[in-house]
Amino acid sequence: MSAEDSFDIELDIDDIKEKLQNNDFAAAVAKIQSYLKKQNEIALNIGVAGECGSGKSTFVNAIRGLANSAEGAAPTNCVETTMEVKFYPHPNYPNIIFWDLPGDGTTKFPAHKYLKHVGFERFDFFIIISADRFRENDVKLALEIKRMQKKFYFVRSKIDHNLRDEEDDQSKCFMYLKQQGFESPQVFLVSSFELQKHDFSLLYETLEKELPEHKRHALLLAMPNINLEIIEKKKEAFQANIKYVSMLSGGAAAVPVPGLSTTVDVALMVCHVTRYVFGFGLDLASLKRLSNTSDVPLEALLDVIISPLAAKEITVDLVMKLLSQTASTVVCMAAEELSRFIPFLGIPLSMSFSVATTYRGLKMFLNMLADDAQRVRTSLETETLF
């Protein structure tokens, strides 16, 4: 088992508290920092297979939030390039990689040799795509993946081309796969041009249930905001980490250097608010990509954004400016510095105020950005109705 596979997604809060109570601040801070660092470095490798012309590349582009014509997009011309495996990292999360595998219908290799050739072991799961119906090569590949005890998912692409026959086609796919030895095959109907429709959300929910928890977290952050539920889940994931970040600020407050704790608090906020911005797809580059894929003008997306954090570089000055506009946060920051001069109780009080400042600040910023992401999603749904 790799170090990543054994990564414990749950940090032992009681252990951290005990270290802080025993004045072992360095050990507590180091443990939290290690946890947050590992969480942000989790790799996810997704293999996308299928015959030439099945819509693999368009699917890879869509899930990464890219138009087919965008820089860095997977080429969508139906010309199979020998046996080359191509990888496409997510624009905001380069550790999450979508692999466009050679067409399984064009290879001369048997399924088991094909998997060895494309590097089977590196993939967390496979998505097998067909434009209309699944064929013999798709089935052979799926059976081999099953034999090697990895997950795979059948996806019918290009649903928007044949809406009237959608249910009938799904039924035919189901019956064919069942005849080939799959007990309860699940076929997800997906339009890469309209991920918010059909079964893409169901596909995500299935992956969410079946992936290990740390991999699930990585997948969630990379998902396009196809609905308000995805946005809420991202918010909950970020919210869960605020307590750990706040503990880091409390550890810094234990160092008896005037002004150091405030500096650390703001630096931590800048780092994590930047993550919120990218996670919700509210950085300017992501908004431009969204405009290109949705045909909604960038100006229309920017018009619904309210907070001063979206589509901006998150800096110390910006964070300090926003914090200074909240009376309770200003009071906490001032009390944190003043409490240092109280004999015996000064450091514990300072730590408490530091934790409160960081917690309140991050929660406020997270709420702002989650609300912006919801407004952008609602705006897209409204714009595309007309």
Side-chain angles (χ1 to χ4, degrees), residues 297-342:
L298 177 61
E299 293 74 17
L301 300 178
L302 294 173
D303 282 346
V304 301
I305 290 173
I306 293 177
S307 84
L309 297 167
K312 299 284 194 309
E313 180 185 0
I314 307 302
T315 64
V316 168
D317 289 343
L318 177 58
V319 168
M320 283 297 294
K321 178 182 177 182
L322 295 176
L323 289 175
S324 67
Q325 295 172 1
T326 308
S328 61
T329 304
V330 172
V331 170
C332 264
M333 293 174 75
E336 179 184 341
E337 290 304 316
L338 290 173
S339 63
R340 294 179 179 279
F341 300 100
I342 302 174

Side-chain angles (χ1 to χ4, degrees), residues 74-75 149 153 158 166-167 169 181-182 203 216 229 234 250 261 277 286 312 315 329 331 342-344:
Q149 299 183 336
Y153 305 91
K158 302 184 180 181
E166 177 181 315
E167 291 185 7
D169 285 351
F182 299 98
L203 171 61
R216 191 185 312 163
E229 288 75 17
K234 289 183 179 183
S261 180
V277 170
S286 292
K312 299 284 194 309
T315 64
T329 304
V331 170
I342 302 174
F344 304 113

Side-chain angles (χ1 to χ4, degrees), residues 15-117:
D15 181 47
I16 297 297
K17 287 181 177 177
E18 183 179 348
K19 285 180 168 58
L20 292 174
Q21 289 166 357
N22 294 332
N23 295 328
D24 193 357
F25 305 122
V29 167
K31 194 161 187 177
I32 296 171
Q33 284 177 325
S34 176
Y35 166 79
L36 293 173
K37 184 173 183 291
K38 284 182 179 179
Q39 192 181 55
N40 288 310
E41 292 178 349
I42 294 167
L44 189 62
N45 290 281
I46 302 166
V48 183
E51 294 189 349
C52 177
S54 62
K56 289 180 301 170
S57 298
T58 298
F59 179 83
V60 167
N61 292 334
I63 203 169
R64 294 161 62 230
L66 293 175
N68 285 338
S69 58
E71 181 179 355
T76 54
N77 55 311
C78 184
V79 178
E80 204 62 58
T81 55
T82 61
M83 283 300 295
E84 186 178 359
V85 180
K86 294 186 176 181
F87 66 95
Y88 299 94
H90 187 279
N92 288 348
Y93 297 96
N95 51 318
I96 300 173
I97 302 174
F98 298 87
W99 298 78
D100 192 349
L101 305 182
D104 54 44
T106 63
T107 176
K108 298 178 182 178
F109 295 115
H112 68 283
K113 290 187 177 180
Y114 172 83
L115 287 175
K116 182 177 180 180
H117 180 84

